[in-house]
Every structure is written in C-alpha cells, then in structure tokens.
Amino acid sequence: MSKPGEHKTVQARILKYAQECGWVFVSREEADARRGKVADSDKAPPSLFFDDLLDAKVREFNPDYADAEGALLGAFKHLHTDIYGNREFVELLRNRGKFLDHEEKRERDLILIDYDDPARNVYEVTEEWAFHNGHYGTREDVVFLINGIPVLAIECKNASKDEAIALGVDQIRRYHRETPELFVSQQIFTATDAIGFSYGVTWNTVRRNIFNWKHEEVGKLEAKVKSFCAIPQVLALLKDYIVFAEKDEELNKYILRQHQTGAVEATVARALDPRRTRGLVWHTQGSGKTFTMIKAAERLFRTPEADKPTVLLMIDRNELEDQMLKNLAALGLGNLEHAGSIARLNQLLRDDYRGIIVTMIHKFRDMPADLNTRSNIYVLIDEAHRTTGGDLGNFLMAGLPNATFIGFTGTPVDRTAYGKGTFKTFGCEDDKGYLHKYSIADSIEDGTTLPLYYQLAPNEMLVPHETLDKEFLSLAEAEGVADIEELNKILERAVNLKNFLKGKDRIQKVAEFSPDAFLRPYLDDYATLSSIYDVVRKAYSKTVYVDRSFQKKTNELVQKHVGAVMEGESPEGFVTIDAGTIELIKNQSSGKATKVINLIKSIEKAAGEQSGDPFLIGLADRAQAVQESFENRQVSTEEALDKLIEAVAQNEKRKQEQAARGLDNLTYFVLCKLTDVGIAHPDLVSKNIAAAFARNPNWQRSDNALRELRKRVTFAIYAEEDDMNKVSATVEELFNLLNRAFKT
C-alpha cells in the first residue's frame, strides 16, 4: 500500500469541491490544447489565457468592439510583468479599460467580466498550469479562470510534510521570481495542506500580508474551499477588495481580510437602510480601519442605490488626512474633494456637492443647522469615541439632520464613561451596541495581534550579541513576523552547529535498520498508518508557521556574524527613583541591557506605589515607550539607557521647580502640560482647572461629576485656545494621566 500523495489528499479534493460550487473542470490536456501548447516543447510558450473564449466573451459583452482577433491579447502582452502591470490588469478586470468604437469615433468602457449578471460569465478550473518563458519553467497546481482569464491560483501540499503551508508560500515566491508573466493577470493565491488554508494577493508575499481563511468548520478543507472559492466571493474580491497604495514611494498591493470585508458590507447595508441612520464599527487597533473606511466610501459612492451620494470621511489627525487623500486618489475616483477649512466644508455642503469629501472633525465647529437635509449623505467618522463628543457632535448632527452616521473606533470604549456615550450615539440602533466588531481576542486568534513575552537570555555560543539582536529583529520587522513562537523556532534552527560551523565536515550519522522477514510485508501498511497519524496530529495540535524566506535570511545573518564574544549578565534588583538614582545606576556592575530593564521596572514600581503624582505616571509612560523602542531594536542599548537617565533627571529637576513655586502635584502637572502644548497663559488656566477639580471631588466615582469636570476643563482651555482639535487632545491626555494617578 503506497503512502497517500499530494494530488489525492489535496489537489483532487479541491477540484471536486470547486466543481460542486459552480466551476467547470477543464482537464490538463484540454487546457493545454486551448492554450496552443505544443506537446513536449518549451520553445513556443503557450498562451496564458484561453484565447478563443476570452475573445468570444469580449465581443459578447462589447457589441461595438471590432478590433482584430488577437489585438487584445497583444495589448495584454505589452503590460509590464511586475506589480504595475498587475495594477493595470486589475483595472481591466474591473471594466475600467477602454476601446475605440470605430463607427462612432469615441471610446467606450471595455467589459471583461459581467458583475451585474454573473451568470453570463464562464467559470472554469484546471490543474497543472505549466508555463516556460525561455529561462524558467513553473507549474501551478490549481488555477481558476473567469472568461478565459486566470485570476486565482492554489498551491497544494501534503499535510504529512513539515510546515507544508510555508513550503507552498515559498514556492509561490519562486514563481514570482522566475515566471512573473503568470502574475500579470492572476490576482489572488492560496496555499493549503488540507488543514490550513492561507491566502494573499500576488506581488505581496511578505509574511505579514498572508492570512488564514477562517470558517466555522475549523480544519475542514471542503468548507474553506467552498467559501473562499465561491463564485460570488471571488467576484467580490476582484471587484472591490484588492487595494493598491503607495508607501514610502513604493507601490504595494493588499487584500482586505474577512473582518474588513464584513465591516464594509455591513456599513453599505446600514447606509442604504431607510429605517436606520447610525452604526458603530468597533475594530481593534492595527486591524486596517483606514482601508475599511476607504473601501466603504468607494462602495457607497459607486452604488447605484445610493443615487449620487455625498460621502464624508472624518479624520482626527493631519497625517491621516494626507494619507487618506493619497489612497482615495489611487482608486481613480473623479469626485474627490478636500475640505481644508470650515468655510470650504460649508460651501461644499451648501452647494449640494456629490462625491467624497475628506475633512477633519473640528471643521464642523459652528456649522449652521440644516445646512444640507438630504438623506443620502453618509458620514464615516474615524476615532469616533473621542471626536464627536460635546458641541462638535451636536454641530455635525444638527447641520446634517437626515444623514447616516457610522462611527469607527479601535479602542475598547464600552468600559469608560465616555465610551458608553459612543455606544449611545452610534450603537443605539443595534442590540449589541455595534454594527460590526473585531476584538483584540479575534485579532490574537488570527495572528494579527500577538502577545509577546520574552527575555534576552545569556547564550553559550560565541557570537556578537548586539549585532545579531539588532539585525535579527530588524529583519523580523521587515518580514512582518511578530509571533515569538515562530521567532524562537527560526532561531532554534539558525543558531546551531550547521550554521556556526559552516564549511567543516559534519559527523556522518549511520543508522542501519533491517527488520526481520516477518515484519517486511507490513511496512507499507505501517507507512500509510504513520502518514494518517501525522495528518491527524497536525490537525489537532498547535503548529507554528515558519516562513521559509525569513528562515533563510536568519541563517545567513548568523553565519555572517560568527566569531565575537557575547557575555551573559545577571540581573540586579530595583532602585529607588530619587536624586541618587542616576549615580546608583551608573555605578552598577551589570551590563547596560540589564540596567535598562532594571530602571524601567523601578520606574513602573514607583509610579504604582506613589499614587497621586501624575508626573510619575508620565515618567512610566516614557519608560514604556523606551522599552518598546528597545525591544523593537529602534534604539540601541546605550541610547535606551541615556533616554531613561535623562527622563529621571528631568523628573528630579521638576521636583525642585515645583517646590520653589509652592504648587501641589495636580496644579503643577497641569501647568507643565499646558506649557508643553503651547496654551496661552498657562498659570491662569492651570489654577482654574485645579479649582474645577476641587469643586468636583467625586469625579472618578460619578459620571455626572466627570462630565461637569471635563466641561469646565475644556472651557478653561478653550478660553485661551481656538484650535478645538488641540483642546480636545489636551483634555483627553490630561484625564488619561490624572485618572491613573489618582486611582481610588
């Protein structure tokens, strides 16, 4: 009995499930013939399309198309075999290409896929899609085609192989390097071993942008194939959920994940619901809210049911505003406006502008009531938990009384007094208080947010500690690998004798086993049983994805830096944060890394024990920021230690200045904060704020007292500062620190 093969255990099943959900199977032999492939010949590369079908569908969808047969395919061949050519092809797949109507002498839209009537399209799936460009040859396991155009590829691996998914992804990377022609039209890829199912977009095979497809039936290949490869799902991904954006002057390609597409669909459905006008999208930090908002805005603008709407994107920070405008421009939207002033925003709304408007929340200050009473105005608000409270929210909703308001937040706002207000404002029409939710727990389960617990330990190997730490973690960040288990597994392989002693003879391991004659007839059965056990074990045990490309780079990094000495150091105890701290730290015999850790822990301990001193809370925050930069290798050990010592020195200087002025902790803290952010007459404002706290001593126990106190603090600052965005940010920061300092 033979060991179950890759084709039988994975590939054949995918083809079966694909047919069951509407794809027509085309055998390899038929596919080769339709592509014009000459048997056993690599001299004339076959077509990358089903030429006859593609030409027929183009003429069916475009009755005025009269170009010669093969003209369109010739144009496809002139596209660059890189991400830029791929972006052009996405536009073609979204029917935004053009052709010349020779009879009427004008351009018309070129339709390649009918999204309005999907039944008119031809959906096919084939296997062993081979291509040779004269230099390299590759063969994709499964390829899905729409109207003769390859759009999705699946790389199959046997579940009995170690790290099968990683092997599959690495193979897709090789295809990109060797035969990039394949990926002009292909937009999506997946890699599966029948248990895991990872997906991403072509031209972006970085580890952090490859995701696991989720389904309620965990580990069931049939459910994953029939949901991911469902025809409506593939059409939606092609039409709406692939995004190109420039970052640091480099073009990048992304695919929206399941929680993002779910939020977009929910947002559009709510906006078009005549009975409801509010909704809260609660997605944790780092889950891609910006792209979610952008695609929701685009979908609303392009949806015929919205009837030429106005979509307002409300941002709370200048840098986000600039990035939002760039990303929206990349979508090719013609109707896009930037309301950079209150007057400009009022003018656009008063003139009944139809399109997308990007602006900042404070531009709604003093907006007249009933400025625009249309119902097809959709307002998408970023950081809704802190941007629509008080007068600004009142101006916004009074100025657009019939609009739909969708709030987006990444903060767990339900547990705070003001967070409850956010739920009341945006979540009032949903039983759970939100339209769509993606929590921190969901993010951790998906691998987007990962709890990171580690400590740099002494190492017996004689290697350069600082250099390897810095370069390895920089490499990890670039590759998008944050899971400590994956990092440990990669290091475990890289930091071994094979890499340290590269070039020397390895000890030959000889282990001969010759079973007796009685056992030999059962070896095939045993091999099959072992394979089944291995697959079942992988299905139910936790596995760590190890990215092959990152593993290779780490191995090379270790080999490069072998030879220097690294010393392990023992930790020392806490130190008291006072005037003698700096000298004490400098005189410690431990290494600088240990000093950094000890000083951070000592600052945190002091902040926790000395309640009522907001300066120590701020000091602890700065120490935490230094720790994060240190652990992420954004600063060196020496730089981290210098930053901490400087922070402690500033705190001691603050104590002396405070004593000289004769002010209590609260008043002096507020004074310093107002001075730092540039509020005029900080002495007067800080005294007024201290008086407000004195009049509301129960502000931490009473919602009413908290609201009254925040109002008085806001008014006190607003009396000297016209920038409401700056006022709101200052108030938020003050209460954040003071609430922690004066814990009850």
Side-chain angles (χ1 to χ4, degrees), residues 610-673:
Q610 298 181 39
S611 177
D613 189 348
F615 285 98
L616 276 179
I617 300 298
L619 180 61
D621 285 349
R622 290 195 295 277
Q624 183 64 37
V626 171
Q627 181 177 358
E628 290 176 2
S629 298
F630 176 62
E631 291 178 344
N632 293 330
R633 291 308 186 261
Q634 296 169 340
V635 297
S636 67
T637 307
E638 187 171 356
E639 288 171 337
L641 184 58
D642 289 342
K643 286 177 181 289
L644 291 170
I645 289 176
E646 181 183 1
V648 172
Q650 288 176 350
N651 189 57
E652 290 305 311
K653 182 180 178 182
R654 179 272 305 178
K655 289 180 182 179
Q656 296 172 6
E657 292 174 351
Q658 179 180 340
R661 283 176 173 262
L663 297 176
D664 59 77
N665 284 341
L666 172 62
T667 307
Y668 192 68
F669 171 76
V670 173
L671 171 63
C672 291
K673 177 54 64 178

Side-chain angles (χ1 to χ4, degrees), residues 1-53:
M1 185 182 293
S2 61
K3 189 175 181 178
E6 186 176 282
H7 188 280
K8 182 178 180 180
T9 59
V10 186
Q11 191 165 316
R13 292 167 62 195
I14 289 175
L15 293 169
K16 175 177 179 291
Y17 302 145
Q19 292 174 74
E20 290 174 359
C21 61
W23 298 85
V24 177
F25 175 65
V26 179
S27 69
R28 174 186 173 185
E29 293 74 21
E30 182 186 347
D32 285 349
R34 290 172 64 181
R35 296 171 63 199
K37 187 176 188 298
V38 179
D40 301 322
S41 173
D42 291 328
K43 292 183 179 179
S47 173
L48 291 171
F49 306 89
F50 288 160
D51 297 1
D52 291 346
L53 175 60

Side-chain angles (χ1 to χ4, degrees), residues 125 127 141 153 164 203 221 263 457 470 487 490 530 625 652 654 657 665 742-743:
V125 61
E127 62 180 335
D141 292 336
W203 299 105
L221 180 63
K470 182 177 181 180
L487 292 175
I490 286 171
S530 297
E652 290 305 311
R654 179 272 305 178
E657 292 174 351
N665 284 341
F742 297 97
K743 291 185 293 186

Side-chain angles (χ1 to χ4, degrees), residues 26 32 36 90 126 259 385 405 412 450 623 729:
V26 179
D32 285 349
V90 166
T126 188
H259 67 274
H385 65 282
F405 298 92
L450 293 156

Side-chain angles (χ1 to χ4, degrees), residues 434-577:
Y434 49 82
L435 176 63
H436 197 273
K437 180 181 178 182
Y438 183 70
S439 67
I440 293 175
D442 295 326
S443 183
I444 290 175
E445 181 183 346
D446 290 348
T448 306
T449 300
L450 293 156
L452 191 59
Y453 307 108
Y454 72 92
Q455 179 178 355
L456 295 176
N459 196 314
E460 295 176 1
M461 299 296 180
L462 301 180
V463 295
H465 176 278
E466 293 285 345
T467 302
L468 274 177
D469 277 352
K470 182 177 181 180
E471 294 193 20
F472 172 70
L473 290 169
S474 294
L475 181 61
E477 182 180 3
E479 293 291 316
V481 179
D483 187 351
I484 191 60
E485 291 187 53
E486 182 176 352
L487 292 175
N488 281 340
K489 196 164 184 178
I490 286 171
L491 278 174
E492 181 183 322
R493 295 180 180 179
V495 185
N496 56 29
L497 287 179
K498 179 180 178 181
N499 287 308
F500 281 126
L501 306 180
K502 194 76 170 179
K504 294 188 177 181
D505 292 337
R506 299 181 62 198
I507 299 174
Q508 183 65 36
K509 296 176 66 176
V510 180
E512 295 289 339
F513 174 73
S514 179
D516 60 45
F518 175 78
L519 291 176
R520 288 194 185 107
Y522 301 100
L523 287 180
D524 284 345
D525 289 349
Y526 177 76
T528 300
L529 184 62
S530 297
S531 297
I532 294 172
Y533 167 76
D534 196 31
V535 170
V536 173
R537 177 179 59 82
K538 288 183 179 179
Y540 290 96
S541 63
K542 182 179 179 181
T543 58
V544 178
Y545 179 107
V546 176
D547 189 80
R548 312 287 288 192
S549 173
F550 183 39
Q551 178 72 69
K552 181 182 177 183
K553 293 175 184 177
T554 304
N555 290 350
E556 292 170 351
L557 181 65
V558 172
Q559 293 166 20
K560 175 183 174 183
H561 291 292
V562 169
V565 176
M566 179 185 77
E567 297 179 352
E569 296 160 344
S570 59
E572 298 181 21
F574 290 103
V575 295
T576 303
I577 304 301

Side-chain angles (χ1 to χ4, degrees), residues 287-559:
S287 59
K289 288 194 304 301
T290 299
F291 281 151
T292 303
M293 291 181 67
I294 286 173
K295 293 307 295 186
E298 183 194 17
R299 284 281 307 278
L300 284 170
F301 175 68
R302 296 188 189 276
T303 298
E305 294 87 342
D307 191 23
K308 297 180 180 178
T310 301
V311 183
L312 276 157
L313 282 170
M314 314 288 298
I315 312 300
D316 74 324
R317 297 200 307 275
N318 286 320
E319 58 271 25
L320 281 181
E321 189 177 33
D322 295 338
Q323 189 60 45
M324 185 76 77
L325 287 165
K326 289 180 182 177
N327 290 338
L328 283 166
L331 296 176
L333 295 170
N335 293 49
L336 176 62
E337 283 284 347
H338 175 213
S341 66
I342 294 174
R344 178 59 178 159
L345 178 61
N346 286 348
Q347 179 188 354
L348 288 168
L349 293 172
R350 188 181 295 110
D351 294 346
D352 204 28
Y353 172 81
R354 307 298 180 103
I356 298 176
I357 302 173
V358 177
T359 189
M360 295 183 68
I361 184 66
H362 68 271
K363 299 296 191 302
F364 273 87
R365 189 172 63 183
D366 299 328
M367 173 175 282
D370 298 330
L371 184 62
N372 194 315
T373 58
R374 261 193 302 116
S375 61
N376 63 337
I377 296 177
Y378 309 114
V379 186
L380 310 184
I381 305 167
D382 192 22
E383 301 298 345
H385 65 282
R386 59 186 176 90
T387 55
T388 53
D391 291 340
L392 286 178
N394 293 335
F395 282 130
L396 172 61
M397 293 173 186
L400 306 172
N402 299 317
T404 295
F405 298 92
I406 308 293
F408 289 75
T409 184
T411 302
V413 294
D414 59 330
R415 302 193 178 198
T416 66
Y418 274 76
K420 292 175 183 176
T422 305
F423 274 70
K424 290 176 183 177
T425 300
F426 296 99
C428 55
E429 297 178 349
D430 293 287
D431 293 338
K432 294 182 178 180
Y434 49 82
L435 176 63
H436 197 273
K437 180 181 178 182
Y438 183 70
S439 67
I440 293 175
D442 295 326
S443 183
I444 290 175
E445 181 183 346
D446 290 348
T448 306
T449 300
L450 293 156
L452 191 59
Y453 307 108
Y454 72 92
Q455 179 178 355
L456 295 176
N459 196 314
E460 295 176 1
M461 299 296 180
L462 301 180
V463 295
H465 176 278
E466 293 285 345
T467 302
L468 274 177
D469 277 352
K470 182 177 181 180
E471 294 193 20
F472 172 70
L473 290 169
S474 294
L475 181 61
E477 182 180 3
E479 293 291 316
V481 179
D483 187 351
I484 191 60
E485 291 187 53
E486 182 176 352
L487 292 175
N488 281 340
K489 196 164 184 178
I490 286 171
L491 278 174
E492 181 183 322
R493 295 180 180 179
V495 185
N496 56 29
L497 287 179
K498 179 180 178 181
N499 287 308
F500 281 126
L501 306 180
K502 194 76 170 179
K504 294 188 177 181
D505 292 337
R506 299 181 62 198
I507 299 174
Q508 183 65 36
K509 296 176 66 176
V510 180
E512 295 289 339
F513 174 73
S514 179
D516 60 45
F518 175 78
L519 291 176
R520 288 194 185 107
Y522 301 100
L523 287 180
D524 284 345
D525 289 349
Y526 177 76
T528 300
L529 184 62
S530 297
S531 297
I532 294 172
Y533 167 76
D534 196 31
V535 170
V536 173
R537 177 179 59 82
K538 288 183 179 179
Y540 290 96
S541 63
K542 182 179 179 181
T543 58
V544 178
Y545 179 107
V546 176
D547 189 80
R548 312 287 288 192
S549 173
F550 183 39
Q551 178 72 69
K552 181 182 177 183
K553 293 175 184 177
T554 304
N555 290 350
E556 292 170 351
L557 181 65
V558 172
Q559 293 166 20

